[in-house]
Amino acid sequence: MTRRRAVVVTGASGGVGRATARAFAARGDRVALLARGRDGLAAAADEVTQAGGEALVVSVDVADAKAVEDAAQQVVDAFGKIDVWVNNAFAGIYAPFTEITPDEFRRVTEVTYLGYVFGTRAALRHMLPRDRGAIVQVGSSLAYRGIPLQSAYCGAKHAIQGFNESVRCELLHEGSRVRTTMVQLPAVNTPQFDWVLSRMPSRVRPVAPIYQPEVAARAIVHAAAHPRRREYWVGGSTVATLVANAVAPGLLDRYLARMGFDAQQEAGREREEAARYARYDGHGNLWTPADGPHGHDFGAHGRFDGESLPGSSQEWVSRNRGRMGAGLAVGGALALAARLTRTPLAAQLRRKHRGH
């Protein structure tokens, strides 16, 4: 019989966090749901109970270090311990860097980066005395590869990557049995694209290929059970992007400069109707939750169900056979690199280089 674990999931009211909470509950785990909102947390708690788990709702802003510490203590008071802590909460802005105010940039950094720092600190405070536990940092391919229009989010994800590596090394040095691991995700079909602050002329969207949040949730649950591995890459697009960035980052810079703006915005009729979609109180969910008093429950899925993939062969391989996953990673990266070198932009860059 599977041992019931005490699990904390931040950002649990929607998207990947919501799907992850359900996935842990399906194992019979006790799940503490941390987020700022109201309706989303209540609905997530109902789903956890229906899936066979035990739910604890804790309303908290992860950018508040003291509030996160208090939330962790509340979980321990209710469940007796914390076995797994999943850092997942984030905030973002879609805009050129020069159109983001200092306060907005600071807020994204505090939620998306410092929220992970505060969550990790709170988890370690309870895990280290027991000398056991797993901390899962939910990352992104953008933790390695920055893209246009998301400078605040990309910067925070890069920071998480470095922070996690540092803490991991310290735990290994101490011989601790507490583990940290990171799960790098691809584009996921979540509601964030309907509530995120955007200054773009069209509705924002994820860059295809898009995966359903359950794909991410399966990887996160697996990582929590196998945290000795330092990192998990989910989705062929993540693998290809990360390795191609290591092989040809300059070429990728120019490719994204040309393609990255349109790839993150709706086209055609959606673009023409963009002005009809009011952005949540003018600030997205940056300062107030989208499921607060004047909002509603958004659930785990966004509006891209029709084009989202329900599974990933790469993710399955990564979970089940590490060596095969490494082979696929290299193959995918080489395929992407080859594809990029055949683009008109690449040909233009080669001609310019020969001209010099």
Side-chain angles (χ1 to χ4, degrees), residues 241-285:
T241 299
L242 298 191
V243 182
N245 184 61
V247 174
L251 181 61
L252 212 49
D253 288 344
R254 289 160 177 77
Y255 180 82
L256 288 168
R258 179 177 179 180
M259 308 298 295
F261 280 66
D262 287 344
Q264 296 183 81
Q265 298 179 76
E266 298 282 14
R269 183 180 177 186
E270 288 283 355
R271 176 163 294 188
E272 295 169 4
E273 295 181 350
R276 296 173 54 189
Y277 294 91
R279 289 158 181 129
Y280 187 73
D281 79 3
H283 299 286
N285 72 330

Side-chain angles (χ1 to χ4, degrees), residues 5 37 44 82 103 117 139 207 249 276 288 317 327 344 350 353:
R5 297 174 298 180
I82 298 174
D103 284 344
V117 172
V207 179
R276 296 173 54 189
T288 56
V317 169
R350 284 195 295 272
H353 178 72

Side-chain angles (χ1 to χ4, degrees), residues 3 9 52 55 83 87 109 124 155 158 163 179 196 223 253 284 326-327 349:
R3 182 174 66 89
V9 180
D83 294 308
N87 282 314
T109 304
L124 289 176
H158 275 66
F163 162 74
R179 306 293 182 186
V196 70
D253 288 344
L349 293 172

